[in-house]
Amino acid sequence: MAAERSTADILDAAVHVRAAARSATAGATGLDPVLTALADVVEYDHASLARWDPRRRRHTTLAGSYPDDATDYIETRLHHDPVFPVLRSPARGGLWLGDVPPHLLAASPGFQDVLSPLGIEDGVAQCLFAADGRYVGMLNVSTRRPRRAPDPARAVVTLLTDSLTAALAAAVAVPAGPPSAAAAADCAEDPRRPGGLSPRELQVLAELTAGRTNREIAERLYITPRTVGTHIEHILAKLDLPNRAAAAARAAAWGIGSQKALPDPSTPATGALSRRRVR
């Protein structure tokens, strides 16, 4: 990839990000292709899309490449960071690292303890809001290379927020309580997706009935243990269950077991990745 790209190149790349976001919003793919496409808009070393869970008061990473300690910070501590109230203001666009006041950086555990040791010199944290003003989650992008100025990618990332918000909201939409009559009717019409679970979530749920660990499930489904953990979080949230044992019991009540054939969620865009065996 060329060291510097024209504004036209970056705008063209943004079109691909929007297409990937639309696909994720429609449920055809996950969010990983969105971040992959975003790398052609703003080159990065690490990036993530994390949704905000208002019930648990934390973020959950749905796609990302940060190391585990950085991911944990984003999920459980970033919203307590002194920089967070600034970047969470709906009135502003993304907060680029170079624009953060020095006194805030000095007081920020996120920068001092997490980003700085990674050699991060630039990047953006972009909070995402629904049309009704509800905070949905955030995009984090970090790079070890300082950005050139003026940087057209700054404006383009802001223009992409609606698409990113829609994709993130669709990926994390869960019922706030017991299923409504309409949701129950939907499940009756599509018995392959009880509880509103995705095909992949149903596969993971089926594996839980056998008491398998995340690593064992990952090896059987050709995904990573981290992805298994994320699916289990979503299963528990959607079914309003406290733990994996309760989820296994619910699966048994539905007649779902690990020996049961379940729909394959692979798509042409993600099938190759999902079939890659975990080492």
Side-chain angles (χ1 to χ4, degrees), residues 6-34:
S6 68
T7 300
D9 291 333
I10 293 174
L11 289 173
D12 184 62
V15 173
H16 294 288
V17 175
R18 292 187 63 183
R22 283 196 298 269
S23 181
T25 303
T29 62
L31 293 173
D32 288 306
V34 178

Short mmCIF file of all heavy atoms in Angstrom, two decimals, residues 6-34:
data_model
loop_
_atom_site.label_atom_id
_atom_site.label_comp_id
_atom_site.label_asym_id
_atom_site.label_seq_id
_atom_site.Cartn_x
_atom_site.Cartn_y
_atom_site.Cartn_z
N SER A 6 -4.33 9.58 -1.96
CA SER A 6 -5.07 10.81 -2.28
C SER A 6 -6.41 10.81 -1.57
O SER A 6 -6.90 9.77 -1.09
CB SER A 6 -5.28 10.91 -3.79
OG SER A 6 -6.18 9.90 -4.22
N THR A 7 -7.03 11.98 -1.52
CA THR A 7 -8.37 12.08 -0.95
C THR A 7 -9.35 11.20 -1.71
O THR A 7 -10.23 10.56 -1.11
CB THR A 7 -8.84 13.55 -0.99
OG1 THR A 7 -7.94 14.36 -0.23
CG2 THR A 7 -10.24 13.69 -0.42
N ALA A 8 -9.19 11.12 -3.03
CA ALA A 8 -10.07 10.27 -3.83
C ALA A 8 -9.93 8.80 -3.43
O ALA A 8 -10.92 8.07 -3.35
CB ALA A 8 -9.75 10.44 -5.32
N ASP A 9 -8.69 8.36 -3.16
CA ASP A 9 -8.47 6.99 -2.72
C ASP A 9 -9.18 6.72 -1.38
O ASP A 9 -9.80 5.67 -1.19
CB ASP A 9 -6.97 6.71 -2.55
CG ASP A 9 -6.22 6.69 -3.87
OD1 ASP A 9 -6.86 6.38 -4.90
OD2 ASP A 9 -5.01 6.98 -3.87
N ILE A 10 -9.08 7.67 -0.47
CA ILE A 10 -9.69 7.50 0.85
C ILE A 10 -11.21 7.49 0.75
O ILE A 10 -11.89 6.70 1.41
CB ILE A 10 -9.20 8.61 1.80
CG1 ILE A 10 -7.70 8.42 2.06
CG2 ILE A 10 -9.97 8.60 3.11
CD1 ILE A 10 -7.06 9.53 2.86
N LEU A 11 -11.76 8.35 -0.09
CA LEU A 11 -13.21 8.35 -0.28
C LEU A 11 -13.69 7.06 -0.92
O LEU A 11 -14.75 6.52 -0.57
CB LEU A 11 -13.61 9.55 -1.14
CG LEU A 11 -13.49 10.93 -0.48
CD1 LEU A 11 -13.74 12.03 -1.50
CD2 LEU A 11 -14.46 11.04 0.70
N ASP A 12 -12.91 6.55 -1.86
CA ASP A 12 -13.26 5.27 -2.48
C ASP A 12 -13.24 4.15 -1.43
O ASP A 12 -14.11 3.28 -1.42
CB ASP A 12 -12.29 4.96 -3.62
CG ASP A 12 -12.66 3.69 -4.36
OD1 ASP A 12 -13.76 3.65 -4.95
OD2 ASP A 12 -11.85 2.74 -4.35
N ALA A 13 -12.24 4.19 -0.55
CA ALA A 13 -12.17 3.19 0.51
C ALA A 13 -13.37 3.31 1.45
O ALA A 13 -13.89 2.30 1.95
CB ALA A 13 -10.87 3.36 1.29
N ALA A 14 -13.83 4.54 1.68
CA ALA A 14 -14.98 4.74 2.56
C ALA A 14 -16.24 4.08 1.99
O ALA A 14 -17.09 3.60 2.75
CB ALA A 14 -15.22 6.23 2.77
N VAL A 15 -16.35 4.05 0.69
CA VAL A 15 -17.49 3.37 0.06
C VAL A 15 -17.49 1.89 0.43
O VAL A 15 -18.55 1.30 0.71
CB VAL A 15 -17.44 3.54 -1.48
CG1 VAL A 15 -18.51 2.70 -2.15
CG2 VAL A 15 -17.61 5.01 -1.85
N HIS A 16 -16.31 1.30 0.47
CA HIS A 16 -16.22 -0.12 0.84
C HIS A 16 -16.55 -0.33 2.32
O HIS A 16 -17.14 -1.36 2.68
CB HIS A 16 -14.82 -0.65 0.52
CG HIS A 16 -14.50 -0.67 -0.95
ND1 HIS A 16 -15.08 -1.57 -1.82
CD2 HIS A 16 -13.68 0.11 -1.69
CE1 HIS A 16 -14.63 -1.35 -3.04
NE2 HIS A 16 -13.78 -0.34 -3.00
N VAL A 17 -16.18 0.64 3.16
CA VAL A 17 -16.55 0.54 4.57
C VAL A 17 -18.07 0.58 4.72
O VAL A 17 -18.65 -0.22 5.46
CB VAL A 17 -15.91 1.68 5.38
CG1 VAL A 17 -16.39 1.64 6.84
CG2 VAL A 17 -14.39 1.60 5.33
N ARG A 18 -18.71 1.48 4.00
CA ARG A 18 -20.17 1.57 4.08
C ARG A 18 -20.83 0.29 3.58
O ARG A 18 -21.82 -0.16 4.16
CB ARG A 18 -20.67 2.77 3.28
CG ARG A 18 -20.27 4.12 3.88
CD ARG A 18 -20.92 5.28 3.16
NE ARG A 18 -22.37 5.23 3.28
CZ ARG A 18 -23.20 6.08 2.70
NH1 ARG A 18 -22.70 7.07 1.96
NH2 ARG A 18 -24.49 5.99 2.86
N ALA A 19 -20.29 -0.29 2.54
CA ALA A 19 -20.85 -1.55 2.03
C ALA A 19 -20.70 -2.66 3.06
O ALA A 19 -21.64 -3.45 3.28
CB ALA A 19 -20.16 -1.94 0.72
N ALA A 20 -19.54 -2.74 3.70
CA ALA A 20 -19.34 -3.75 4.73
C ALA A 20 -20.26 -3.50 5.92
O ALA A 20 -20.80 -4.45 6.51
CB ALA A 20 -17.87 -3.73 5.19
N ALA A 21 -20.46 -2.24 6.27
CA ALA A 21 -21.36 -1.90 7.38
C ALA A 21 -22.80 -2.26 7.06
O ALA A 21 -23.54 -2.77 7.91
CB ALA A 21 -21.25 -0.41 7.72
N ARG A 22 -23.22 -2.01 5.81
CA ARG A 22 -24.59 -2.39 5.41
C ARG A 22 -24.77 -3.90 5.49
O ARG A 22 -25.82 -4.39 5.92
CB ARG A 22 -24.88 -1.90 3.99
CG ARG A 22 -25.18 -0.42 3.90
CD ARG A 22 -25.84 -0.07 2.57
NE ARG A 22 -24.97 -0.39 1.44
CZ ARG A 22 -24.11 0.45 0.90
NH1 ARG A 22 -23.98 1.67 1.40
NH2 ARG A 22 -23.37 0.09 -0.13
N SER A 23 -23.75 -4.65 5.08
CA SER A 23 -23.83 -6.10 5.14
C SER A 23 -23.94 -6.57 6.59
O SER A 23 -24.72 -7.48 6.90
CB SER A 23 -22.59 -6.72 4.47
OG SER A 23 -22.65 -8.12 4.49
N ALA A 24 -23.17 -5.94 7.48
CA ALA A 24 -23.25 -6.30 8.90
C ALA A 24 -24.60 -5.92 9.49
O ALA A 24 -25.17 -6.66 10.29
CB ALA A 24 -22.11 -5.61 9.66
N THR A 25 -25.13 -4.76 9.09
CA THR A 25 -26.44 -4.33 9.59
C THR A 25 -27.53 -5.29 9.18
O THR A 25 -28.46 -5.57 9.94
CB THR A 25 -26.76 -2.92 9.06
OG1 THR A 25 -25.72 -2.01 9.46
CG2 THR A 25 -28.09 -2.41 9.60
N ALA A 26 -27.41 -5.83 7.97
CA ALA A 26 -28.40 -6.79 7.47
C ALA A 26 -28.21 -8.18 8.06
O ALA A 26 -29.03 -9.06 7.84
CB ALA A 26 -28.31 -6.86 5.95
N GLY A 27 -27.13 -8.38 8.81
CA GLY A 27 -26.88 -9.67 9.42
C GLY A 27 -26.19 -10.66 8.51
O GLY A 27 -26.03 -11.83 8.86
N ALA A 28 -25.75 -10.21 7.34
CA ALA A 28 -25.09 -11.12 6.40
C ALA A 28 -23.66 -11.44 6.82
O ALA A 28 -23.14 -12.50 6.51
CB ALA A 28 -25.10 -10.52 5.00
N THR A 29 -23.01 -10.49 7.51
CA THR A 29 -21.64 -10.70 7.98
C THR A 29 -21.51 -10.12 9.38
O THR A 29 -22.42 -9.43 9.87
CB THR A 29 -20.61 -10.00 7.07
OG1 THR A 29 -20.84 -8.58 7.08
CG2 THR A 29 -20.70 -10.52 5.64
N GLY A 30 -20.37 -10.36 9.98
CA GLY A 30 -20.07 -9.73 11.26
C GLY A 30 -19.40 -8.39 11.05
O GLY A 30 -19.42 -7.82 9.94
N LEU A 31 -18.77 -7.88 12.11
CA LEU A 31 -18.15 -6.57 12.05
C LEU A 31 -16.68 -6.61 11.63
O LEU A 31 -16.11 -5.57 11.34
CB LEU A 31 -18.28 -5.88 13.41
CG LEU A 31 -19.71 -5.49 13.82
CD1 LEU A 31 -19.72 -4.99 15.25
CD2 LEU A 31 -20.27 -4.44 12.88
N ASP A 32 -16.08 -7.78 11.62
CA ASP A 32 -14.67 -7.86 11.22
C ASP A 32 -14.41 -7.28 9.83
O ASP A 32 -13.43 -6.55 9.64
CB ASP A 32 -14.18 -9.31 11.30
CG ASP A 32 -14.01 -9.77 12.74
OD1 ASP A 32 -13.31 -9.09 13.50
OD2 ASP A 32 -14.58 -10.82 13.09
N PRO A 33 -15.26 -7.57 8.82
CA PRO A 33 -15.03 -6.97 7.50
C PRO A 33 -15.10 -5.45 7.51
O PRO A 33 -14.48 -4.79 6.68
CB PRO A 33 -16.14 -7.57 6.63
CG PRO A 33 -16.49 -8.86 7.30
CD PRO A 33 -16.36 -8.56 8.76
N VAL A 34 -15.85 -4.88 8.46
CA VAL A 34 -15.94 -3.42 8.56
C VAL A 34 -14.58 -2.85 8.95
O VAL A 34 -14.08 -1.90 8.34
CB VAL A 34 -17.02 -3.00 9.56
CG1 VAL A 34 -17.06 -1.48 9.69
CG2 VAL A 34 -18.39 -3.54 9.15
#
